[in-house]
Amino acid sequence: DITMAEGWHGTDSATHQIAFAVLPDGHTVIGLQHCRMNDRRGYVARIKGMQFNLPNDLYNEYSRELITGSGKSTFTSPPRKEESFSLSGKWTNIENKIGLIGLYGADNFTIHRHPSRRAGALQSLFVEEICFPGIIETMKFEANEIILDAGWAVISSADAGAAKYFYAAQQKVLLAGEFEDVRAVRIEALNQKIYYVLANFDEVEISIPIDIFCEDAQLTDLASETVYSARKNIRLSPCQGMVLESTFT
């Protein structure tokens, strides 16, 4: 909803979609985000993929430790001023408890810090916002241009080693041509099983050949229990997501 001082009023400037899937390994959630301008030019003040809010307040003594490929960093709150900077690489771990992994859409995680409390129902918590991507500046987007296109994972009860392993084992499945607005990722979960998470962000139904994913395995839809074998197609309705488990034949 946008209202300008000159009197213009507009809605639906952009379409933001997210596919959110919990994998049956007891640890992992996957997020695929897709945001596109609609039929007008627009200006976006900030872009925050994932936007993981990490409380950093009284109950953790105003201190948090993050682990990345470059080592450990400690963040005390509140910071003296609003600031944002890149964390090293596409994985980070929070105090050997929660892992954050970037799958596609950015080169690094970004942490956005603010000297004011800004989270919770009463805006009463200091938080560190961990984003993938995180762009804290105004940007212009033309009609139908992509604003945000990113995939990420959050794993619980995971130390830094598990986060690093999880990142190294991941692979985006590239779908070209008629699958321009379809996203898919291959996930080797912490139970050592292979999953594919798909999302159709298009406005039309699409049909995807199984062979794009793998030639020597069958895939089971975890929601419907439908089994797809080689040389078969998967159909996805507009705005539909799917989680498939791979089993070798």
Side-chain angles (χ1 to χ4, degrees):
D1 231 6
I2 300 174
T3 300
M4 292 187 174
E6 291 82 356
W8 182 85
H9 175 79
T11 59
D12 302 321
S13 293
T15 299
H16 181 204
Q17 299 169 279
I18 180 168
F20 190 82
V22 180
L23 300 187
D25 67 342
H27 297 274
T28 307
V29 295
I30 303 296
L32 309 180
Q33 288 180 273
H34 190 270
C35 184
R36 183 192 293 274
M37 285 298 302
N38 288 334
D39 59 354
R40 64 173 68 100
R41 176 187 296 166
Y43 295 83
V44 178
R46 295 177 178 182
I47 301 172
K48 293 181 176 180
M50 180 186 276
Q51 198 172 356
F52 186 97
N53 282 350
L54 174 63
N56 194 357
D57 211 292
L58 173 67
Y59 294 109
N60 59 274
E61 299 181 345
Y62 302 96
S63 180
R64 287 294 189 184
E65 182 180 82
L66 298 183
I67 307 166
T68 69
S70 297
K72 298 179 180 180
S73 299
T74 300
F75 298 90
T76 57
S77 70
R80 294 182 179 180
K81 61 180 181 178
E82 181 179 5
E83 59 186 359
S84 64
F85 50 88
S86 294
L87 300 174
S88 175
K90 293 184 179 181
W91 70 268
T92 188
N93 185 271
I94 302 167
E95 299 173 353
N96 281 308
K97 293 181 174 65
I98 297 176
L100 309 178
I101 297 91
L103 303 176
Y104 66 88
D107 294 327
N108 297 283
F109 277 95
T110 297
I111 185 167
H112 181 231
R113 316 191 71 215
H114 202 281
S116 300
R117 287 185 163 94
R118 53 177 173 161
L122 301 177
Q123 301 291 293
S124 58
L125 279 176
F126 289 120
V127 295
E128 313 292 351
E129 287 187 346
I130 305 174
C131 306
F132 187 85
I135 302 172
I136 317 299
E137 61 178 308
T138 300
M139 297 184 66
K140 179 181 76 173
F141 292 92
E142 300 295 340
N144 300 312
E145 190 174 357
I146 294 291
I147 299 172
L148 171 64
D149 185 7
W152 40 264
V154 180
I155 54 175
S156 63
S157 303
D159 61 15
K164 183 179 180 180
Y165 166 81
F166 191 99
Y167 168 69
Q170 305 325 303
Q171 174 184 339
K172 180 185 177 185
V173 179
L174 298 175
L175 303 176
E178 66 268 35
F179 307 123
E180 179 183 358
D181 288 320
V182 181
R183 299 294 178 268
V185 290
R186 173 192 180 276
I187 303 296
E188 182 176 333
L190 296 183
N191 60 0
Q192 280 73 57
K193 293 184 178 181
I194 303 296
Y195 301 94
Y196 293 88
V197 181
L198 290 68
N200 179 15
F201 296 120
D202 208 336
E203 297 178 352
V204 298
E205 182 182 88
I206 55 94
S207 179
I208 307 174
I210 284 290
D211 293 346
I212 287 181
F213 301 101
C214 48
E215 296 181 355
D216 55 354
Q218 65 181 18
L219 303 178
T220 302
D221 181 347
L222 294 185
S224 68
E225 298 185 347
T226 302
V227 177
Y228 299 92
S229 57
R231 295 179 295 280
K232 299 293 185 180
N233 285 12
I234 298 171
R235 292 189 177 276
L236 285 176
S237 299
C239 305
Q240 181 186 357
M242 185 178 291
V243 179
L244 303 167
E245 180 179 341
S246 174
T247 55
F248 287 94
T249 58

